[in-house]
Amino acid sequence: MVSAAWKEIRKNPEQPIYLLTGTESYLLQETLAKIISESPGIEQHDVLNFDLEETSVDRVIEEADTLPFLQDRKVIVAKNASFLKAKERGKEKIEHPIDQLEAWLQDPSPTATVIFTAPYEKLDSRKKITKVMTSNAVVIEANKLTGSDLTVWVQQQGAAFGVTIDREIADYLVETTGENMMQLSSEIEKLAAFLEGAGTVTKEIIDRLVPRSPETEIFRLTDTYIAGNRAQTLAVYHDLLRSGEEPIAMTSLIAGQVRLMLHVGTLKKKGYHQQQIASTLNVHPYRVKLVMNNRNSPSEQRLLRVLNELASIDLKLKSTSGSRERVLELFFMEKL
């Protein structure tokens, strides 16, 4: 987990080069903030920022090699190092002097910490610049946490705010809020404020304070539809419409939930337990638990029939010029 990298930042605060990569924006921001806060004598307003989609990297090198004024060290953030990923035709705005950067990376300034950010899912490991960068920088991957890693992080965040979140409650909070770490952190802070920085978070407190994510409501919508409860299904559906959810997006999410039910059922028959299924499908264990514990779990044939009907609904929604809301509503009203 990235928490191990945070400990290293604290131990060695004067690293000359960092490379932050990955798509989890919350972890990228937190890691960036920790590097800055651990840099001796540096405040947030002292940090120099460059966007490499707008500015050539030689400006970063020039600034790094210039001695700091009235300070022992300077911190420079060079965002969007897109030259580290595969080139996209027509996307490059700036021609960077890559040879100059490669040479500098092997002999960086002793009085600057330069933080390159590459908020991309994958870097191009075939490029020489990527190899030189990863060889000479402290590389920290800010990838999305899933499964038990996310649960542990929720518990750690709770502890950081002074409250206790048991494992089962942490799972429930993830299921209620979704897996967006920025949103989760905000909700944990709110729960801690409610408890005045001490005590234990309960399911009742979460239900009282935390709004359900659209994904959670889609799970409930799918569950009530599969169970044949048309009145409740329509009630949840209209709530989602009022909150701004689009029928096409809802259809996709419902199909995803039905596919999850199918996959869980198949792996369960093969003898997989809950954690193995979650790991294999790359979903949070609590979602798998809810599917496995569903007493109204339908047959595989029934789920396949629903999936086939959803494919037809998706086509109708994308081709109709009429009311998309009505198309999906009629689907929910039909007998399964």
Side-chain angles (χ1 to χ4, degrees), residues 262-295:
L262 282 165
H263 291 321
V264 169
T266 300
L267 292 175
K268 186 178 179 182
K269 287 177 184 177
K270 291 182 178 181
Y272 284 55
H273 57 67
Q274 179 183 318
Q275 194 62 47
Q276 286 177 311
I277 294 174
S279 178
T280 301
L281 300 178
N282 195 29
V283 297
H284 196 276
Y286 193 74
R287 288 187 67 195
V288 176
K289 178 182 176 181
L290 291 176
V291 173
M292 293 179 72
N293 291 347
N294 188 349
R295 294 179 182 177

Side-chain angles (χ1 to χ4, degrees), residues 12-71:
N12 303 290
E14 296 187 356
Q15 293 286 350
I17 309 168
Y18 285 95
L19 172 61
L20 311 186
T21 182
T23 56
E24 180 47 69
S25 59
Y26 173 83
L27 290 179
L28 283 172
Q29 291 179 30
E30 285 293 294
T31 303
L32 190 60
K34 287 185 183 297
I35 295 171
I36 294 168
S37 66
E38 294 294 338
S39 299
I42 298 294
E43 301 293 337
Q44 183 65 51
H45 62 264
D46 298 320
V47 177
L48 299 164
N49 291 280
F50 294 91
D51 186 343
L52 295 176
E53 291 184 346
E54 305 290 342
T55 305
S56 176
V57 75
D58 60 344
R59 286 281 293 111
V60 176
I61 295 171
E62 180 185 351
E63 186 61 57
D65 286 341
T66 303
L67 289 173
F69 181 66
L70 298 179
Q71 291 173 317

